[in-house]
Amino acid sequence: MKVFVIGVGLIGGSFALALKEAYKNVTIFGIDNNDAYLNEALELGVIDEKVDWNDLGEAEIVYTAIPVNVLCELLPEILDRVSDDTLVIDGGSTKSLICEAVKEHPKRRNFLAAHPIAGTEFSGPSAAIKDLYKNKTNIICEVEKTAFKLQEKALKIFTDIGMRIRYMDPHSHDKHIAYVSHLSHISAFMLGKTVIEKEEENERDIFDMAGSGFESTVRLAKSSPAMWTPIFQQNKTNVLETLEKYIANLQQFRDLMVQDDYESIYEVMENTNKIKEILKGITVKN
Amino acid sequence: MKVFVIGVGLIGGSFALALKEAYKNVTIFGIDNNDAYLNEALELGVIDEKVDWNDLGEAEIVYTAIPVNVLCELLPEILDRVSDDTLVIDGGSTKSLICEAVKEHPKRRNFLAAHPIAGTEFSGPSAAIKDLYKNKTNIICEVEKTAFKLQEKALKIFTDIGMRIRYMDPHSHDKHIAYVSHLSHISAFMLGKTVIEKEEENERDIFDMAGSGFESTVRLAKSSPAMWTPIFQQNKTNVLETLEKYIANLQQFRDLMVQDDYESIYEVMENTNKIKEILKGITVKN
């Protein structure tokens, strides 16, 4: 199986490693505009060969794991270059604009729009993990627009690397993912910013007092700005909606504190504690 | 060694287990206003005996791990009841009001004000872990106000259970901990609230899309409202300061998105990425 991975970082690299784990007969060809990454991926055994755009015609499967704005630009060109039987899968965190970008493309049926709910805060080929996708959910959008044979092929691969499948329309995907993923990133980035600013102001040693609770809450602030800026941009409307609701909740919490209404603060926290039960479900699933 | 633990949940119970691990000759006497907790702690071997306030005169060491408002009320009475040689240590997340509460107490020198930077989002005796304090920092306030012999005794215990010590005045403690601990809790609680509200609005299955990133960022929203409400109350001024700065940063991020200024958004995230290096330090320490 000849698989071309475009973008050999955390997401693309982990997909490559998962395929190598699942199948004997797979050769991974890597494409990346960062040549250092490409060499690193080769050294680490994430890919087997460096190739370029001119080789795309030879691909049986293409997996794209690049910033979503670049993907929107390049996906039509990728489809132009692949053969009639090639399956092209993306791993982008937004789906509406990506599906829109190839809506009228003559090879639309070669493309499967997907978003694996998996990742870490690290990036680059060295962040790739063979088990990243195991027991994780893959959200597939507009499955009916992909050729049936290629749907089958993709599903077999996802199952073989241990993923669960959910189908969803791109609009619902973008709306919901803003809440459970995009907002968490902004929340963590701004928490990190607030504490760093305080440290810079006068306290060099404030982080000596930080424990595992802070570390967990701020973890996503290590994420790649190159990946996340275009995600916020592409999902602007939904992200703004979640962000405004989040700010309103924080503002309300602040007002309750100003009013010394600790009874209401207790209640708000107690009601939110039910996230325990909800997260139990997540832990099982992810 | 006769150790009385008042409040046999996560913090007190873990202290008990750590002492049992470090010393052969230690008996843990448990006091808790929740009798079910006390029985559970006994069954789990967290404590050796159930006792009550009238027995406090027999304690060699008293460790208090109760909500900080209750502690402020009860600490004077605890000091009234203990012998002249007893060491009383607290584990509260705020320090100014606690130190204030016993400032003029005739047995002030029997008290050591401490805050172990350790915990999980769970509570109750079943949440107690013997290694909770290993390699963690214990912040000690107003050490000069504790009798020298009792300081020595406390330091030996903290060292024996694997803790590092930092000295700090209560005012600085409360100011800094608001940033690196209290704010993280509010940020997580409000993230949880925002997403739960969205789910309740119309989307029963939004959490199916949540991954480990959301789980990590929202983890502290599982924390106990009984512990955290009085912490926010006691540290109101500092917590409000951090919360207002956090809201301002989120608001600024929102404005940049509204203005489509993704260059600035990229920069903000890139600058915050230095939290990576800072957290590396925390991981080593905690």
Side-chain angles (χ1 to χ4, degrees):
Chain A
M1 186 159 62
K2 283 185 161 187
V3 180
F4 279 51
V5 173
I6 306 182
V8 296
L10 166 69
I11 298 298
S14 295
F15 186 74
L17 291 178
L19 290 187
K20 280 166 174 272
E21 178 84 356
Y23 304 116
K24 278 182 190 165
N25 272 328
V26 63
T27 310
I28 309 286
F29 299 85
I31 297 181
D32 204 300
N33 67 351
N34 180 335
D35 208 49
Y37 267 15
L38 219 45
N39 289 328
E40 198 183 341
L42 198 61
E43 274 167 38
L44 292 168
V46 170
I47 64 169
D48 300 301
E49 276 183 46
K50 291 163 56 171
V51 285
D52 67 31
W53 289 87
N54 298 316
D55 303 309
L56 271 171
E58 292 169 36
E60 187 182 336
I61 292 165
V62 177
Y63 190 78
T64 68
I66 53 182
V68 288
N69 57 334
V70 184
L71 181 60
C72 280
E73 260 181 65
L74 296 184
L75 189 55
E77 196 185 329
I78 293 168
L79 287 174
D80 288 343
R81 286 173 181 266
V82 297
S83 83
D84 285 347
D85 302 321
T86 306
L87 166 65
V88 179
I89 308 169
D90 88 309
S93 291
T94 59
K95 293 268 77 67
S96 296
L97 289 183
I98 289 162
C99 287
E100 188 66 28
V102 291
K103 192 171 64 167
E104 310 287 356
H105 196 284
K107 289 216 193 95
R108 173 64 185 86
R109 295 179 65 72
N110 293 68
F111 173 59
L112 185 88
H115 177 201
I117 309 295
T120 72
E121 67 275 31
F122 304 110
S123 39
S126 62
I129 310 165
K130 75 175 168 51
D131 288 337
L132 185 70
Y133 298 114
K134 205 160 264 177
N135 300 319
K136 303 291 166 63
T137 301
N138 208 352
I139 299 175
I140 297 181
C141 293
E142 298 189 336
V143 67
E144 71 285 356
K145 296 197 177 171
T146 307
F148 186 68
K149 272 199 163 177
L150 297 179
Q151 285 180 33
E152 275 190 319
K153 188 171 201 160
L155 287 192
K156 171 140 180 42
I157 290 173
F158 296 147
T159 309
D160 288 345
I161 67 174
M163 301 196 84
R164 257 169 281 100
I165 305 299
R166 279 203 60 185
Y167 298 99
M168 197 174 271
D169 69 277
H171 175 77
S172 303
H173 169 278
D174 288 2
K175 201 173 171 65
H176 298 175
I177 205 74
Y179 279 88
V180 289
S181 166
H182 302 174
L183 178 59
S184 310
H185 283 79
I186 298 177
S187 148
F189 267 110
M190 291 305 100
L191 178 64
K193 181 169 188 275
T194 307
V195 180
I196 287 171
E197 280 168 352
K198 182 64 183 174
E199 193 210 24
E200 281 169 352
E201 198 182 291
N202 57 8
E203 305 300 341
R204 302 301 308 166
D205 52 3
I206 192 167
F207 286 107
D208 287 0
M209 296 174 70
S212 55
F214 176 71
E215 190 176 9
S216 163
T217 320
V218 84
R219 178 168 72 87
L220 296 179
K222 302 181 202 169
S223 303
S224 155
M227 283 292 165
W228 280 93
T229 306
I231 290 172
F232 297 139
Q233 185 170 9
Q234 290 210 348
N235 205 17
K236 178 179 172 181
T237 312
N238 293 313
V239 170
L240 276 177
E241 178 192 306
T242 71
L243 185 51
E244 280 161 11
K245 287 190 180 169
Y246 183 55
I247 291 172
N249 276 325
L250 287 160
Q251 194 68 44
Q252 196 182 36
F253 192 96
R254 178 212 165 263
D255 294 346
L256 291 174
M257 280 191 66
V258 168
Q259 294 153 23
D260 290 317
D261 184 357
Y262 295 103
E263 212 169 303
S264 298
I265 282 181
Y266 184 100
E267 256 176 55
V268 163
M269 290 197 285
E270 199 180 30
N271 290 336
T272 308
N273 268 175
K274 72 173 179 194
I275 202 93
K276 276 184 212 173
E277 298 312 311
I278 294 166
L279 288 179
K280 263 187 204 160
I282 296 182
T283 308
V284 173
K285 286 198 326 298
N286 287 281
Chain B
M1 188 156 63
K2 284 183 161 189
V3 180
F4 279 51
V5 173
I6 305 180
V8 296
L10 166 71
I11 297 298
S14 296
F15 187 73
L17 291 178
L19 290 187
K20 281 166 172 273
E21 176 86 356
Y23 304 117
K24 278 182 192 165
N25 273 327
V26 63
T27 311
I28 308 286
F29 299 85
I31 297 181
D32 204 300
N33 67 351
N34 181 335
D35 207 51
Y37 268 15
L38 217 45
N39 289 328
E40 197 183 342
L42 198 61
E43 273 167 38
L44 293 168
V46 169
I47 63 169
D48 299 302
E49 276 183 44
K50 289 163 58 172
V51 285
D52 67 28
W53 289 87
N54 298 315
D55 304 309
L56 270 171
E58 292 168 35
E60 188 181 336
I61 292 165
V62 178
Y63 190 78
T64 69
I66 53 184
V68 289
N69 56 334
V70 184
L71 182 60
C72 281
E73 260 181 64
L74 296 183
L75 189 56
E77 194 185 331
I78 294 168
L79 288 174
D80 288 344
R81 286 174 180 266
V82 297
S83 84
D84 285 348
D85 302 323
T86 307
L87 167 64
V88 179
I89 308 169
D90 89 308
S93 291
T94 59
K95 292 269 76 63
S96 295
L97 290 183
I98 289 163
C99 288
E100 188 66 27
V102 292
K103 191 170 65 166
E104 309 288 357
H105 196 284
K107 290 215 192 97
R108 173 63 185 87
R109 294 177 67 71
N110 292 69
F111 174 59
L112 185 88
H115 177 200
I117 308 295
T120 72
E121 67 276 30
F122 304 110
S123 38
S126 62
I129 310 165
K130 74 175 168 52
D131 287 337
L132 185 70
Y133 299 115
K134 205 159 263 177
N135 300 320
K136 303 291 166 63
T137 301
N138 207 354
I139 298 177
I140 296 180
C141 292
E142 298 189 337
V143 69
E144 69 288 353
K145 297 198 177 173
T146 307
F148 186 67
K149 272 198 163 177
L150 297 179
Q151 283 181 34
E152 274 189 320
K153 190 169 198 159
L155 288 193
K156 170 138 180 43
I157 290 172
F158 296 148
T159 310
D160 288 346
I161 66 173
M163 301 196 84
R164 258 168 281 99
I165 306 298
R166 279 204 60 186
Y167 298 100
M168 198 173 272
D169 68 275
H171 175 78
S172 302
H173 169 277
D174 287 2
K175 205 175 166 63
H176 298 174
I177 206 72
Y179 279 89
V180 289
S181 166
H182 302 174
L183 178 60
S184 310
H185 283 79
I186 298 176
S187 145
F189 267 110
M190 292 305 100
L191 177 64
K193 182 169 188 273
T194 308
V195 180
I196 287 172
E197 281 167 353
K198 183 63 185 174
E199 194 210 22
E200 283 168 350
E201 199 182 292
N202 56 9
E203 304 300 341
R204 303 298 312 164
D205 53 1
I206 191 169
F207 286 107
D208 286 1
M209 295 174 72
S212 56
F214 176 70
E215 191 176 7
S216 164
T217 319
V218 85
R219 179 169 71 86
L220 296 179
K222 301 182 204 169
S223 303
S224 156
M227 283 292 165
W228 280 93
T229 304
I231 291 172
F232 296 140
Q233 185 170 9
Q234 291 211 346
N235 206 17
K236 178 179 171 178
T237 313
N238 292 313
V239 170
L240 277 178
E241 179 192 304
T242 69
L243 184 51
E244 280 161 9
K245 287 190 180 170
Y246 183 55
I247 292 172
N249 275 326
L250 287 161
Q251 194 68 44
Q252 197 183 35
F253 194 96
R254 178 211 165 263
D255 294 346
L256 291 174
M257 279 192 68
V258 169
Q259 293 152 24
D260 290 317
D261 184 356
Y262 295 102
E263 212 169 302
S264 298
I265 282 182
Y266 184 99
E267 257 175 56
V268 163
M269 292 198 283
E270 199 179 32
N271 290 336
T272 308
N273 268 174
K274 73 175 176 191
I275 203 91
K276 275 183 212 174
E277 298 311 312
I278 294 166
L279 288 179
K280 263 187 205 162
I282 296 183
T283 309
V284 173
K285 285 199 325 296
N286 287 281

